[in-house]
Amino acid sequence: MLCLTNAARRAAGKAPLTGRGGLHRAAARKSADILRCDEFSHEACGRDFTYWIERLTDCDASAENIAWGTGSPASPRAIFRSWMRSSGHRANILGPYREIGIGLRVGDLEGNAAAHVWTQNFGSGC
């Protein structure tokens, strides 16, 4: 997912993003919250999208992309394509951020077994 993200940024003339441990942990916890609360939402479990970012990083700015799927639609390439077709998600990927965290958790979601839940957290000044 990081390679796909940075390839899109390079194609748009943007600097690549650097993976950051705190953002990776925040993204993983967001994906876990979505599964645990069985709620596909930026506010899963009643938490603002910045909940884990604020607890695990010191980033100055942040944004988030979430997605899920099962089978081949859950592959990194398929998820990434869907994000790039969405203006808001695309804006985050190509945005002014310098760091990224990527989380993936697999579990049951909204009656779907083996759902792959992807989260991208973006930050600057982390």
Side-chain angles (χ1 to χ4, degrees), residues 3-113:
C3 291
L4 292 166
T5 300
N6 281 333
R9 288 180 63 84
R10 274 190 302 278
K14 307 284 183 175
L17 299 174
T18 302
R20 287 286 181 247
L23 283 173
H24 287 307
R25 287 188 296 279
R29 291 200 180 170
K30 168 51 80 63
S31 292
D33 276 355
I34 289 169
L35 290 172
R36 183 173 55 84
C37 294
D38 198 25
E39 178 184 11
F40 182 71
S41 168
H42 289 284
E43 292 84 31
C45 303
R47 296 177 172 158
D48 189 68
F49 91 88
T50 61
Y51 180 85
W52 289 113
I53 296 169
E54 289 172 353
R55 278 152 186 77
L56 299 172
T57 76
D58 58 353
C59 296
D60 295 332
S62 61
E64 176 181 85
N65 287 343
I66 59 173
W68 75 273
T70 59
S72 61
S75 72
R77 190 170 304 277
I79 294 295
F80 189 77
R81 280 187 193 137
S82 70
W83 279 334
M84 290 301 285
R85 290 179 182 134
S86 161
S87 61
H89 295 101
R90 182 183 179 89
N92 288 341
I93 290 167
L94 301 179
Y97 307 105
R98 293 189 312 247
E99 291 98 16
I100 189 171
I102 299 168
L104 170 64
R105 292 291 185 266
V106 179
D108 295 340
L109 179 63
E110 298 176 356
N112 296 280

